[in-house]
């Protein structure tokens, strides 16, 4: 379990992407749940729901992309220090 907590050190810069992913998932869930809660959907309500869901989905995808990018950067950095020794 020690390796899991290494991702949250300030030098890894991963916390912001985890936060972006969590916010994106929350917005997706909120937009999706509003469809089930509303009795009557007007065009304005539907527009807001779709915009919320799309924005949340976009945040989630961007968070995943950038967390993978950062993970690869950390792996390359760790590999280059091992090879250099």
């Amino acid at each position: 379990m020690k390796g899991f907590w290494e991702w949250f050190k300030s030098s890894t810069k991963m916390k912001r992407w985890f936060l972006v992913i969590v916010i994106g998932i929350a917005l997706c869930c909120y937009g999706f749940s509003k469809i089930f809660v509303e009795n009557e959907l007007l065009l304005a309500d539907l527009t807001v729901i779709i915009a919320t869901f799309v924005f949340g989905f976009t945040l989630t995808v961007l968070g995943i992309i950038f967390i993978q990018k950062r993970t690869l950067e950390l792996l390359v950095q760790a590999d280059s220090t091992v090879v250099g020794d």
Side-chain angles (χ1 to χ4, degrees):
M1 193 66 172
K2 179 184 174 193
F4 177 75
W5 295 111
E6 294 293 319
W7 290 100
F8 295 103
K9 289 179 11 182
S10 63
S11 63
T12 59
K13 298 179 179 147
M14 295 289 235
K15 293 178 283 209
R16 68 184 76 159
W17 303 121
F18 281 119
L19 181 65
V20 168
I21 291 171
V22 168
I23 290 171
I25 290 172
L27 286 173
C28 282
C29 291
Y30 176 75
F32 196 68
S33 68
K34 288 289 278 185
I35 293 173
F36 294 118
V37 174
E38 295 291 324
N39 292 333
E40 185 177 307
L41 289 173
L42 301 174
L43 184 60
D45 296 334
L46 193 58
T47 305
V48 170
I49 290 170
I50 290 172
T52 303
F53 182 80
V54 168
F55 185 67
F57 185 77
T58 304
L59 281 180
T60 304
V61 169
L62 285 176
I64 290 170
I65 289 170
F66 282 110
I67 207 166
Q68 288 179 346
K69 180 179 179 271
R70 184 64 187 147
T71 302
L72 286 174
E73 289 172 356
L74 289 173
L75 289 174
V76 167
Q77 182 182 13
D79 189 43
S80 66
T81 57
V82 170
V83 172
D85 287 338

XYZ file of all heavy atoms in Angstrom:
683
model
N 0.823 -1.198 0.000
C 0.000 0.000 0.000
C 0.865 1.261 0.000
O 0.396 2.327 -0.290
C -0.916 -0.059 1.221
C -2.013 0.928 1.201
S -3.123 0.518 -0.142
C -4.419 1.621 0.181
N 2.133 1.097 0.308
C 3.015 2.254 0.341
C 3.111 2.907 -1.038
O 3.150 4.121 -1.165
C 4.405 1.844 0.814
C 5.388 2.980 0.845
C 6.760 2.498 1.222
C 7.739 3.638 1.093
N 9.114 3.198 1.151
N 3.131 2.111 -2.099
C 3.241 2.636 -3.450
C 2.058 3.496 -3.848
O 2.195 4.439 -4.617
N 0.876 3.162 -3.332
C -0.320 3.946 -3.646
C -0.197 5.369 -3.132
O -0.556 6.319 -3.826
C -1.557 3.264 -3.049
C -2.820 4.044 -3.264
C -3.425 4.076 -4.504
C -3.401 4.754 -2.219
C -4.594 4.788 -4.713
C -4.566 5.470 -2.414
C -5.166 5.486 -3.667
N 0.314 5.533 -1.949
C 0.412 6.873 -1.349
C 1.530 7.702 -1.971
O 1.560 8.914 -1.835
C 0.587 6.779 0.164
C -0.636 6.190 0.804
C -0.725 4.970 1.402
C -1.935 6.763 0.874
N -1.999 4.748 1.837
C -2.764 5.836 1.533
C -2.487 7.961 0.453
C -4.112 6.076 1.755
C -3.829 8.196 0.682
C -4.623 7.270 1.330
N 2.439 7.048 -2.681
C 3.507 7.775 -3.373
C 2.939 8.670 -4.481
O 3.544 9.666 -4.842
C 4.522 6.789 -3.967
C 5.304 6.002 -2.952
C 6.247 6.869 -2.141
O 6.887 7.761 -2.723
O 6.339 6.659 -0.916
N 1.773 8.298 -5.037
C 1.156 9.094 -6.102
C 0.691 10.449 -5.587
O 0.491 11.373 -6.374
C -0.033 8.358 -6.692
C 0.356 7.176 -7.485
C 0.328 5.872 -7.066
C 0.862 7.149 -8.818
N 0.780 5.056 -8.073
C 1.102 5.807 -9.154
C 1.124 8.137 -9.754
C 1.597 5.444 -10.387
C 1.608 7.759 -10.992
C 1.842 6.431 -11.289
N 0.482 10.581 -4.297
C -0.070 11.804 -3.740
C 0.991 12.742 -3.165
O 0.647 13.742 -2.550
C -1.119 11.474 -2.674
C -2.314 10.770 -3.256
C -2.477 9.407 -3.106
C -3.255 11.480 -3.972
C -3.562 8.761 -3.656
C -4.342 10.843 -4.523
C -4.498 9.481 -4.363
N 2.257 12.435 -3.356
C 3.302 13.354 -2.921
C 3.255 14.597 -3.804
O 2.820 14.554 -4.948
C 4.676 12.687 -3.019
C 4.886 11.626 -1.992
C 6.211 10.906 -2.043
C 7.275 11.455 -2.923
N 8.494 10.662 -2.941
N 3.723 15.710 -3.269
C 3.656 16.956 -4.031
C 4.561 16.944 -5.254
O 4.316 17.654 -6.220
C 3.991 18.144 -3.136
O 5.319 18.024 -2.673
N 5.581 16.130 -5.256
C 6.496 16.104 -6.401
C 5.898 15.385 -7.612
O 6.351 15.594 -8.726
C 7.802 15.427 -5.998
O 7.562 14.081 -5.637
N 4.869 14.563 -7.418
C 4.298 13.832 -8.545
C 3.274 14.653 -9.325
O 3.013 14.369 -10.479
C 3.621 12.538 -8.078
O 2.594 12.854 -7.155
C 4.617 11.587 -7.470
N 2.677 15.657 -8.707
C 1.694 16.540 -9.344
C 0.526 15.758 -9.948
O 0.091 16.006 -11.056
C 2.360 17.406 -10.403
C 3.409 18.322 -9.834
C 4.064 19.158 -10.885
C 5.081 20.045 -10.215
N 6.226 20.324 -11.024
N 0.007 14.799 -9.187
C -1.103 13.975 -9.638
C -2.431 14.368 -8.992
O -3.480 14.061 -9.536
C -0.843 12.507 -9.302
C 0.307 11.926 -10.023
S -0.077 11.707 -11.732
C 0.284 10.014 -11.926
N -2.364 15.048 -7.864
C -3.589 15.355 -7.118
C -4.564 16.181 -7.942
O -5.773 15.966 -7.891
C -3.257 16.077 -5.819
C -2.520 15.212 -4.826
C -2.179 15.993 -3.599
C -0.999 16.858 -3.950
N -0.103 17.206 -2.898
N -4.062 17.135 -8.719
C -4.956 17.995 -9.497
C -5.727 17.204 -10.535
O -6.890 17.476 -10.802
C -4.181 19.125 -10.148
C -3.223 18.658 -11.237
C -2.418 19.776 -11.773
N -1.390 20.074 -10.783
C -0.277 20.706 -11.014
N -0.036 21.170 -12.205
N 0.598 20.914 -10.082
N -5.104 16.174 -11.115
C -5.790 15.391 -12.137
C -6.801 14.451 -11.508
O -7.864 14.201 -12.094
C -4.783 14.656 -13.015
C -3.828 15.605 -13.651
C -2.475 15.624 -13.530
C -4.148 16.742 -14.475
N -1.943 16.671 -14.222
C -2.946 17.386 -14.821
C -5.335 17.279 -14.958
C -2.894 18.513 -15.617
C -5.290 18.413 -15.755
C -4.084 19.005 -16.083
N -6.485 13.933 -10.315
C -7.487 13.147 -9.601
C -8.700 14.016 -9.268
O -9.844 13.579 -9.387
C -6.912 12.546 -8.311
C -6.074 11.333 -8.528
C -4.746 11.332 -8.153
C -6.593 10.192 -9.098
C -3.949 10.217 -8.345
C -5.817 9.065 -9.303
C -4.490 9.079 -8.925
N -8.452 15.245 -8.863
C -9.547 16.163 -8.547
C -10.373 16.483 -9.793
O -11.605 16.507 -9.726
C -9.001 17.445 -7.921
C -10.040 18.484 -7.513
C -10.914 17.939 -6.401
C -9.362 19.765 -7.084
N -9.716 16.695 -10.923
C -10.433 16.966 -12.176
C -11.306 15.774 -12.558
O -12.456 15.939 -12.979
C -9.438 17.322 -13.302
C -10.109 17.310 -14.659
C -8.806 18.674 -13.047
N -10.785 14.576 -12.385
C -11.562 13.372 -12.699
C -12.767 13.246 -11.779
O -13.880 12.958 -12.230
C -10.670 12.119 -12.622
C -9.650 12.137 -13.768
C -11.499 10.848 -12.659
C -8.593 11.072 -13.654
N -12.583 13.488 -10.490
C -13.688 13.388 -9.530
C -14.767 14.432 -9.831
O -15.963 14.122 -9.810
C -13.162 13.519 -8.079
C -14.290 13.711 -7.093
C -12.335 12.308 -7.715
N -14.361 15.653 -10.146
C -15.336 16.697 -10.491
C -16.067 16.327 -11.774
O -17.293 16.500 -11.880
C -14.639 18.072 -10.606
C -14.199 18.544 -9.227
C -15.562 19.099 -11.245
C -13.329 19.780 -9.249
N -15.347 15.808 -12.754
C -15.982 15.392 -14.004
C -16.996 14.281 -13.798
O -18.101 14.320 -14.357
N -16.656 13.300 -12.982
C -17.590 12.207 -12.702
C -18.809 12.729 -11.955
O -19.944 12.326 -12.236
C -16.886 11.085 -11.920
C -15.882 10.375 -12.831
C -17.881 10.080 -11.357
C -14.990 9.379 -12.131
N -18.596 13.646 -11.015
C -19.724 14.220 -10.270
C -20.663 14.988 -11.201
O -21.893 14.872 -11.086
C -19.205 15.131 -9.160
N -20.104 15.760 -12.135
C -20.946 16.496 -13.075
C -21.700 15.565 -14.022
O -22.871 15.809 -14.344
C -20.105 17.494 -13.872
C -19.651 18.733 -13.121
C -18.690 19.543 -13.977
C -20.832 19.584 -12.705
N -21.047 14.506 -14.462
C -21.731 13.520 -15.304
C -22.898 12.876 -14.557
O -24.007 12.748 -15.097
C -20.766 12.432 -15.753
S -19.689 12.891 -17.092
N -22.650 12.483 -13.330
C -23.701 11.864 -12.519
C -24.838 12.834 -12.244
O -26.012 12.454 -12.287
C -23.122 11.347 -11.205
S -22.037 9.941 -11.424
N -24.498 14.087 -11.984
C -25.533 15.090 -11.741
C -26.395 15.295 -12.987
O -27.626 15.313 -12.901
C -24.890 16.412 -11.318
C -25.884 17.531 -11.143
C -26.711 17.569 -10.033
C -26.005 18.538 -12.086
C -27.634 18.583 -9.862
C -26.913 19.554 -11.936
C -27.735 19.573 -10.829
O -28.648 20.577 -10.671
N -25.752 15.446 -14.135
C -26.502 15.634 -15.372
C -27.365 14.434 -15.710
O -28.512 14.572 -16.137
N -26.827 13.243 -15.494
C -27.570 12.027 -15.792
C -28.730 11.827 -14.821
O -29.818 11.411 -15.216
C -26.627 10.826 -15.753
C -27.189 9.600 -16.394
C -27.388 9.547 -17.756
C -27.508 8.497 -15.637
C -27.907 8.405 -18.356
C -28.030 7.360 -16.210
C -28.225 7.314 -17.579
N -28.528 12.146 -13.555
C -29.583 11.948 -12.555
C -30.724 12.959 -12.707
O -31.863 12.656 -12.356
C -29.005 12.019 -11.149
O -28.578 13.335 -10.865
N -30.419 14.149 -13.231
C -31.477 15.144 -13.434
C -32.530 14.645 -14.429
O -33.699 15.020 -14.336
C -30.886 16.462 -13.951
C -30.115 17.250 -12.927
C -31.016 17.847 -11.902
C -31.601 19.129 -12.442
N -32.389 19.844 -11.478
N -32.143 13.791 -15.357
C -33.102 13.239 -16.319
C -34.129 12.371 -15.600
O -35.316 12.407 -15.917
C -32.358 12.426 -17.407
C -31.512 13.359 -18.249
C -33.326 11.644 -18.274
C -30.623 12.666 -19.234
N -33.698 11.617 -14.597
C -34.607 10.738 -13.873
C -35.455 11.479 -12.851
O -36.551 11.046 -12.526
C -33.819 9.635 -13.168
C -33.152 8.689 -14.113
C -31.781 8.565 -14.135
C -33.892 7.932 -15.003
C -31.153 7.704 -15.009
C -33.283 7.065 -15.885
C -31.916 6.950 -15.894
N -34.968 12.596 -12.337
C -35.661 13.324 -11.273
C -36.746 14.244 -11.824
O -37.825 14.366 -11.237
C -34.641 14.121 -10.427
C -35.331 15.008 -9.419
C -33.681 13.176 -9.738
N -36.467 14.884 -12.946
C -37.409 15.861 -13.513
C -38.676 15.174 -14.012
O -38.631 14.148 -14.672
C -36.760 16.622 -14.670
C -35.598 17.492 -14.268
C -36.017 18.692 -13.438
O -37.089 19.246 -13.691
O -35.254 19.050 -12.538
N -39.828 15.765 -13.670
C -41.104 15.257 -14.159
C -41.350 15.690 -15.598
O -41.874 14.938 -16.401
C -42.250 15.752 -13.280
C -42.201 15.145 -11.898
O -41.673 14.051 -11.737
N -42.726 15.845 -10.922
N -40.989 16.919 -15.869
C -41.219 17.487 -17.193
C -39.941 18.189 -17.644
O -39.407 19.045 -16.946
C -42.366 18.498 -17.113
C -42.780 19.065 -18.438
C -43.968 20.001 -18.267
O -44.971 19.583 -17.678
O -43.845 21.144 -18.715
N -39.461 17.823 -18.804
C -38.236 18.415 -19.319
C -38.562 19.433 -20.408
O -39.116 19.081 -21.445
C -37.310 17.345 -19.895
C -36.637 16.418 -18.906
C -35.889 15.322 -19.630
C -35.684 17.198 -18.027
N -38.213 20.661 -20.149
C -38.341 21.698 -21.162
C -37.044 21.761 -21.958
O -36.034 21.190 -21.565
C -38.638 23.037 -20.505
C -39.914 23.102 -19.657
C -40.004 24.421 -18.946
C -41.130 22.862 -20.524
N -37.065 22.478 -23.059
C -35.877 22.570 -23.899
C -34.716 23.222 -23.152
O -33.572 22.782 -23.261
C -36.202 23.353 -25.177
C -35.066 23.450 -26.185
C -34.650 22.067 -26.640
C -35.470 24.305 -27.351
N -35.007 24.252 -22.359
C -33.953 24.927 -21.587
C -33.352 23.982 -20.545
O -32.129 23.952 -20.354
C -34.503 26.170 -20.915
N -34.205 23.200 -19.875
C -33.716 22.238 -18.891
C -32.860 21.166 -19.558
O -31.804 20.788 -19.037
C -34.882 21.563 -18.164
C -35.707 22.530 -17.335
O -35.144 23.562 -16.917
O -36.897 22.250 -17.122
N -33.320 20.697 -20.686
C -32.585 19.666 -21.401
C -31.232 20.179 -21.886
O -30.232 19.459 -21.840
C -33.411 19.167 -22.588
C -32.943 17.887 -23.264
C -32.902 16.749 -22.264
C -33.845 17.554 -24.425
N -31.193 21.433 -22.301
C -29.929 22.039 -22.737
C -28.930 22.111 -21.590
O -27.746 21.795 -21.762
C -30.188 23.443 -23.314
O -31.153 23.347 -24.356
C -28.920 24.056 -23.858
N -29.399 22.519 -20.422
C -28.519 22.601 -19.248
C -28.039 21.209 -18.835
O -26.867 21.022 -18.503
C -29.250 23.300 -18.076
C -28.470 23.175 -16.783
C -29.504 24.746 -18.421
N -28.915 20.232 -18.876
C -28.547 18.864 -18.508
C -27.490 18.314 -19.460
O -26.486 17.742 -19.035
C -29.802 17.958 -18.478
C -30.689 18.336 -17.298
C -29.415 16.490 -18.408
C -32.053 17.687 -17.318
N -27.707 18.514 -20.747
C -26.750 18.015 -21.741
C -25.410 18.735 -21.602
O -24.345 18.119 -21.664
C -27.327 18.151 -23.162
C -28.461 17.156 -23.349
C -26.248 17.935 -24.217
C -29.229 17.316 -24.641
N -25.447 20.046 -21.392
C -24.205 20.819 -21.231
C -23.442 20.359 -19.988
O -22.208 20.224 -20.023
C -24.509 22.306 -21.153
N -24.143 20.106 -18.899
C -23.506 19.633 -17.668
C -22.860 18.270 -17.886
O -21.719 18.036 -17.486
C -24.532 19.552 -16.521
O -25.125 20.825 -16.343
C -23.889 19.103 -15.229
N -23.606 17.377 -18.528
C -23.072 16.033 -18.777
C -21.858 16.084 -19.700
O -20.838 15.437 -19.439
C -24.158 15.133 -19.384
C -23.684 13.735 -19.623
C -23.628 12.827 -18.573
C -23.277 13.321 -20.874
C -23.172 11.537 -18.781
C -22.828 12.042 -21.096
C -22.778 11.145 -20.043
N -21.933 16.856 -20.771
C -20.815 16.940 -21.720
C -19.593 17.571 -21.063
O -18.456 17.113 -21.262
C -21.247 17.713 -22.993
C -20.056 18.067 -23.854
C -22.253 16.903 -23.775
N -19.796 18.625 -20.269
C -18.678 19.257 -19.574
C -18.037 18.286 -18.587
O -16.813 18.184 -18.505
C -19.153 20.530 -18.863
C -18.047 21.304 -18.217
C -17.078 21.925 -18.977
C -17.973 21.414 -16.834
C -16.045 22.634 -18.382
C -16.960 22.112 -16.229
C -15.990 22.727 -17.006
N -18.855 17.548 -17.845
C -18.324 16.559 -16.906
C -17.581 15.445 -17.605
O -16.512 15.016 -17.160
N -18.126 14.978 -18.716
C -17.470 13.923 -19.485
C -16.137 14.417 -20.040
O -15.134 13.707 -20.013
C -18.385 13.448 -20.614
C -17.845 12.281 -21.375
C -17.899 11.012 -20.833
C -17.282 12.454 -22.623
C -17.388 9.924 -21.527
C -16.770 11.378 -23.323
C -16.828 10.114 -22.784
N -16.117 15.651 -20.531
C -14.886 16.237 -21.058
C -13.825 16.357 -19.963
O -12.652 16.039 -20.186
C -15.164 17.613 -21.686
O -16.176 17.468 -22.684
C -13.930 18.217 -22.296
N -14.232 16.819 -18.783
C -13.283 16.912 -17.666
C -12.724 15.543 -17.295
O -11.524 15.405 -17.022
C -13.950 17.546 -16.447
C -14.104 19.047 -16.433
C -14.788 19.486 -15.142
C -12.770 19.736 -16.567
N -13.580 14.533 -17.286
C -13.136 13.194 -16.936
C -12.119 12.672 -17.945
O -11.057 12.149 -17.563
C -14.337 12.234 -16.855
O -15.290 12.755 -15.920
C -13.913 10.847 -16.424
N -12.415 12.841 -19.217
C -11.497 12.357 -20.255
C -10.172 13.122 -20.215
O -9.093 12.524 -20.298
C -12.159 12.447 -21.646
C -11.155 12.215 -22.756
C -13.309 11.467 -21.745
N -10.245 14.439 -20.066
C -9.012 15.224 -19.987
C -8.188 14.855 -18.761
O -6.955 14.783 -18.826
C -9.330 16.718 -19.974
C -9.754 17.314 -21.313
C -10.141 18.781 -21.134
C -8.652 17.181 -22.336
N -8.853 14.629 -17.638
C -8.142 14.209 -16.424
C -7.437 12.888 -16.619
O -6.286 12.715 -16.200
N -8.101 11.937 -17.285
C -7.482 10.638 -17.535
C -6.298 10.785 -18.484
O -5.240 10.179 -18.269
C -8.528 9.648 -18.092
C -9.535 9.285 -16.993
C -7.868 8.389 -18.646
C -10.736 8.518 -17.477
N -6.450 11.593 -19.520
C -5.355 11.801 -20.470
C -4.142 12.413 -19.776
O -3.005 11.952 -19.937
C -5.817 12.677 -21.652
C -6.766 11.890 -22.546
C -4.623 13.189 -22.454
C -7.454 12.726 -23.599
N -4.367 13.462 -18.988
C -3.238 14.127 -18.346
C -2.621 13.306 -17.222
O -1.419 13.421 -16.959
C -3.648 15.518 -17.852
C -3.713 16.533 -18.955
C -4.921 17.041 -19.379
C -2.562 16.952 -19.582
C -4.986 17.961 -20.404
C -2.605 17.883 -20.607
C -3.824 18.387 -21.023
N -3.418 12.473 -16.554
C -2.834 11.618 -15.513
C -1.970 10.533 -16.161
O -0.918 10.163 -15.625
C -3.915 11.040 -14.588
C -3.314 10.755 -13.220
C -4.541 9.792 -15.115
C -4.340 10.502 -12.152
N -2.383 10.037 -17.325
C -1.549 9.072 -18.037
C -0.272 9.728 -18.543
O 0.809 9.133 -18.481
C -2.318 8.464 -19.200
C -3.384 7.507 -18.768
C -4.148 6.939 -19.945
O -4.066 7.428 -21.060
N -4.902 5.883 -19.684
N -0.383 10.940 -19.038
C 0.798 11.676 -19.510
C 1.788 11.888 -18.367
O 2.989 11.676 -18.513
C 0.366 13.019 -20.092
C 1.496 13.861 -20.619
C 0.947 15.167 -21.190
C 2.049 16.044 -21.700
N 2.583 16.930 -20.707
N 1.279 12.286 -17.226
C 2.141 12.530 -16.070
C 2.764 11.221 -15.573
O 3.926 11.201 -15.156
C 1.353 13.221 -14.955
C 2.180 13.596 -13.774
C 3.229 14.621 -14.124
N 4.090 14.818 -12.976
C 5.374 15.098 -13.046
N 5.951 15.293 -14.201
N 6.090 15.225 -11.958
N 2.008 10.132 -15.613
C 2.545 8.840 -15.203
C 3.699 8.427 -16.112
O 4.742 7.964 -15.635
C 1.443 7.765 -15.244
O 0.380 8.172 -14.391
C 1.962 6.425 -14.790
N 3.526 8.615 -17.418
C 4.614 8.290 -18.342
C 5.832 9.171 -18.104
O 6.971 8.702 -18.180
C 4.133 8.426 -19.786
C 3.218 7.313 -20.281
C 2.685 7.642 -21.668
C 3.947 5.989 -20.286
N 5.613 10.445 -17.815
C 6.735 11.334 -17.514
C 7.492 10.856 -16.285
O 8.731 10.873 -16.268
C 6.237 12.765 -17.298
C 5.771 13.459 -18.549
C 5.115 14.800 -18.260
O 4.944 15.161 -17.079
O 4.759 15.487 -19.232
N 6.760 10.442 -15.261
C 7.419 9.954 -14.041
C 8.174 8.660 -14.300
O 9.275 8.453 -13.766
C 6.389 9.758 -12.931
C 5.797 11.027 -12.330
C 4.671 10.683 -11.378
C 6.866 11.835 -11.626
N 7.612 7.773 -15.118
C 8.287 6.521 -15.414
C 9.550 6.747 -16.234
O 10.582 6.124 -15.999
C 7.347 5.569 -16.151
C 6.213 4.986 -15.310
C 5.277 4.191 -16.187
C 6.752 4.142 -14.183
N 9.482 7.654 -17.203
C 10.672 7.965 -18.006
C 11.729 8.621 -17.139
O 12.917 8.313 -17.244
C 10.294 8.858 -19.211
C 11.520 9.445 -19.874
C 9.475 8.070 -20.202
N 11.305 9.504 -16.247
C 12.244 10.176 -15.354
C 12.902 9.155 -14.420
O 14.110 9.206 -14.206
C 11.501 11.238 -14.537
C 12.362 12.029 -13.605
C 11.538 13.020 -12.796
O 10.315 12.961 -12.764
N 12.212 13.945 -12.155
N 12.131 8.233 -13.896
C 12.697 7.210 -13.002
C 13.612 6.276 -13.778
O 14.658 5.854 -13.269
C 11.583 6.417 -12.349
N 13.253 5.952 -15.022
C 14.073 5.073 -15.831
C 15.387 5.730 -16.216
O 16.431 5.093 -16.241
C 13.307 4.652 -17.084
C 14.024 3.582 -17.851
O 14.530 2.643 -17.214
O 14.078 3.673 -19.097
N 15.358 7.035 -16.516
C 16.588 7.721 -16.913
C 17.549 7.870 -15.735
O 18.763 7.847 -15.933
C 16.271 9.096 -17.517
O 15.716 9.944 -16.540
N 17.038 7.977 -14.526
C 17.937 8.051 -13.376
C 18.560 6.684 -13.080
O 19.682 6.597 -12.633
C 17.218 8.562 -12.114
O 16.109 7.706 -11.823
C 16.747 9.981 -12.312
N 17.841 5.609 -13.364
C 18.379 4.267 -13.141
C 19.451 3.967 -14.178
O 20.507 3.418 -13.858
C 17.244 3.215 -13.209
C 17.819 1.800 -13.215
C 16.299 3.389 -12.044
N 19.215 4.323 -15.427
C 20.189 4.063 -16.484
C 21.447 4.899 -16.280
O 22.546 4.442 -16.539
C 19.558 4.338 -17.884
C 20.603 4.269 -18.979
C 18.438 3.374 -18.139
N 21.287 6.125 -15.773
C 22.422 7.011 -15.591
C 23.360 6.595 -14.479
O 24.499 7.021 -14.426
N 22.908 5.731 -13.572
C 23.768 5.327 -12.446
C 24.809 4.355 -12.824
O 25.052 3.674 -13.616
C 22.913 4.707 -11.325
C 22.121 5.794 -10.592
O 22.541 6.953 -10.670
O 21.134 5.435 -9.970
